[in-house]
Amino acid sequence: MINRTLANELADIAVRQIRAGNRFAHKRKEQIKKSEEMYLNEVPPDIPGRFNPAVPVMGGFIDTLKAQLNRPVRINFDKQEQADLKKSQKVQSMWERDSSRNGWRMKDLDGKHGAGFAGFAAFYIGAQGGEEEKYRSIFYYIDHHHFYCQPRKGYDLETHRYLGEMEVWRSKSELQEGVDSGIYDKKNF
């Protein structure tokens, strides 16, 4: 388990990074909010004596965009050498099983929907399991309201020094598993 002083230092660094990102992202978040309001047909208060109808232009744009991009992600793991044939077939079948079982297509569509507003979609992909535990894949869309990254670093997220997710929700059983495995401090539980 990590010691308390190091944990507090890391938490302070994370808070400073999030505050720096929020300071620079405020203007962009306002633009995204306007796009979302247009999608939901929220009409600003009209000037007295004027007619102010809602025109569903943004809703049609997002729905058309999603329809054009409504193709599931396909990945083909192919062998590099003849000796890799079995390995590539195992990885390919695991990918196909995980993507269909865990609803990756709908999560991908959620990301494309959010990308229509924010201009990008961020996903988390990982795996969990161990020697005693059965392998399971983890894949989900990170909502653009909860995603943060290094300010003014550009569109290529691979070059950012930090990025992350805020407002992560865990169930009581997930928190208990974290305490039991030593990820979380029992004093805070």
Side-chain angles (χ1 to χ4, degrees):
M1 185 185 298
I2 192 167
N3 69 22
R4 217 152 185 50
T5 56
L6 179 59
N8 288 336
E9 288 175 19
L10 293 173
D12 289 340
I13 291 170
V15 168
R16 283 197 307 268
Q17 290 173 342
I18 291 169
R19 285 184 180 152
N22 283 341
R23 209 172 40 245
F24 287 99
H26 182 70
K27 192 173 184 180
R28 177 68 182 133
K29 286 183 179 182
E30 285 179 357
Q31 293 171 341
I32 293 170
K33 186 175 186 239
K34 285 181 183 176
S35 296
E36 290 172 336
E37 288 172 353
M38 286 173 32
Y39 176 76
L40 297 171
N41 279 337
E42 292 181 9
V43 180
D46 55 341
I47 301 169
R50 299 255 179 171
F51 183 62
N52 195 16
V55 182
V57 175
M58 188 66 168
F61 168 74
I62 296 291
D63 293 341
T64 304
L65 180 67
K66 280 178 26 183
Q68 293 296 320
L69 299 174
N70 190 8
R71 290 180 197 84
V73 176
R74 298 263 186 239
I75 296 179
N76 187 17
F77 295 95
D78 202 8
K79 64 180 171 53
Q80 300 297 313
E81 299 173 6
Q82 190 60 32
D84 295 335
L85 178 63
K86 286 258 191 227
K87 292 177 194 172
S88 67
Q89 288 174 341
K90 284 180 182 179
V91 172
Q92 181 69 38
S93 64
M94 188 174 65
W95 159 260
E96 290 169 1
R97 183 198 70 183
D98 285 349
S99 64
S100 64
R101 181 191 301 168
N102 297 330
W104 288 14
R105 181 176 179 159
M106 290 307 297
K107 294 171 185 176
D108 182 52
L109 272 176
D110 287 345
K112 291 172 182 172
H113 181 80
F117 302 116
F120 76 97
F123 294 93
Y124 175 84
I125 186 164
Q128 194 171 31
E131 293 176 17
E132 308 105 29
E133 205 178 345
K134 189 176 178 184
Y135 159 81
R136 68 179 180 143
S137 65
I138 303 167
F139 177 74
Y140 62 89
Y141 164 62
I142 302 172
D143 189 74
H144 54 270
H145 294 290
H146 302 163
F147 181 77
Y148 69 92
C149 58
Q150 184 180 358
R152 297 187 179 186
K153 191 62 178 165
Y155 66 91
D156 187 7
L157 294 177
E158 296 293 326
T159 62
H160 289 230
R161 292 174 59 201
Y162 63 87
L163 36 97
E165 178 183 8
M166 298 180 292
E167 298 185 31
V168 178
W169 295 88
R170 297 284 181 252
S171 67
K172 186 174 182 178
S173 62
E174 289 172 328
L175 291 172
Q176 186 61 50
E177 286 177 19
V179 168
D180 295 341
S181 65
I183 296 172
Y184 303 130
D185 189 3
K186 190 170 186 158
K187 294 176 188 173
N188 294 332
F189 185 62

